[in-house]
Amino acid sequence: MVSTDRPAGEEAQANPASTPDPDVSPPAQSPIRLRMLLAIAAVLLAFDLVTKILVVQFIEPGNPIRIIGDVVTLKLIRNPGAAFSMATGMTWLLSLVAVGVVIGVVRFGRKLRSLWWAIGLGMVLGGALGNLIDRFFRAPGPMQGHVVDFVSVGWWPVFNVADSGIVCGAVLLVALTLFGFEPDGTRRTAESA
């Protein structure tokens, strides 16, 4: 028979297995993470826009700035296509795809409860918006604008902050999926799969 003379706090200390972890909240009580997603996207977008403005202002095409010999340089490239210069003649299609990604991420984020998913999707959203702004507002015109790329590392194609955000966010989302972390804040185990 269990004595009821002990205060509730002492009972929880006596049985640590039943003590709730204050850092982990049940999925039903976890907050919606849309604000976090949007904040991360806004920070990444601002950083992308500022770096592109500075690069266009201070780096002349064909005159790279060496950071680490010829391995890491800053050079201004205007890219009409996607990564690895694919789809260079289909800039309008890439713009439509980016619009779809932005809409999809925001809609998905409205019920998101996982902090890590919010971080990954925020990075993807910020990167998509950064390159989408270039496609809408840079020459040669709306939906056909060329993206400003400027970071060159070895043999890798020249990229920008937005590209980095998209790639890092996508890698994080794939890792979360592989390790069973769900967007609702729960974790899928091998037994439940």
Side-chain angles (χ1 to χ4, degrees):
M1 185 163 172
V2 176
S3 170
T4 58
D5 296 340
R6 254 192 274 179
E10 288 181 23
E11 187 175 321
Q13 288 175 350
N15 187 2
S18 67
T19 305
D21 186 348
D23 297 331
V24 178
S25 55
Q29 296 174 0
S30 296
I32 300 293
R33 301 292 186 173
L34 181 61
R35 284 187 183 160
M36 176 64 71
L37 186 157
L38 294 176
I40 290 167
V43 168
L44 186 76
L45 175 61
F47 188 50
D48 180 63
L49 292 176
V50 168
T51 55
K52 287 175 179 174
I53 289 167
L54 292 173
V55 164
V56 169
Q57 182 71 30
F58 295 110
I59 298 179
E60 298 175 19
N63 191 15
I65 297 174
R66 289 182 167 80
I67 304 297
I68 303 175
D70 288 335
V71 177
V72 180
T73 60
L74 300 178
K75 60 181 175 182
L76 175 58
I77 303 286
R78 296 188 185 261
N79 183 1
F84 300 99
S85 296
M86 296 186 308
T88 54
M90 305 192 74
T91 306
W92 62 272
L93 180 60
L94 296 172
S95 299
L96 291 177
V97 168
V99 168
V101 167
V102 168
I103 292 169
V105 168
V106 171
R107 287 188 62 144
F108 188 75
R110 291 170 50 204
K111 55 187 173 200
L112 190 65
R113 294 188 180 275
S114 166
L115 175 63
W116 288 106
W117 273 82
I119 292 170
L121 287 172
M123 294 171 76
V124 170
L125 178 61
L129 285 170
N131 285 339
L132 189 59
I133 287 171
D134 280 3
R135 298 211 185 276
F136 272 102
F137 297 108
R138 293 199 185 271
M143 298 282 288
Q144 297 178 359
H146 295 182
V147 173
V148 173
D149 290 332
F150 58 91
V151 180
S152 176
V153 179
W155 54 269
W156 198 255
V158 181
F159 59 95
N160 58 38
V161 172
D163 297 335
S164 298
I166 293 169
V167 170
C168 293
V171 168
L172 176 58
L173 295 176
V174 168
L176 291 171
T177 302
L178 289 176
F179 290 106
F181 292 95
E182 300 290 337
D184 66 359
T186 61
R187 184 164 185 198
R188 185 181 67 250
T189 60
E191 296 83 34
S192 64

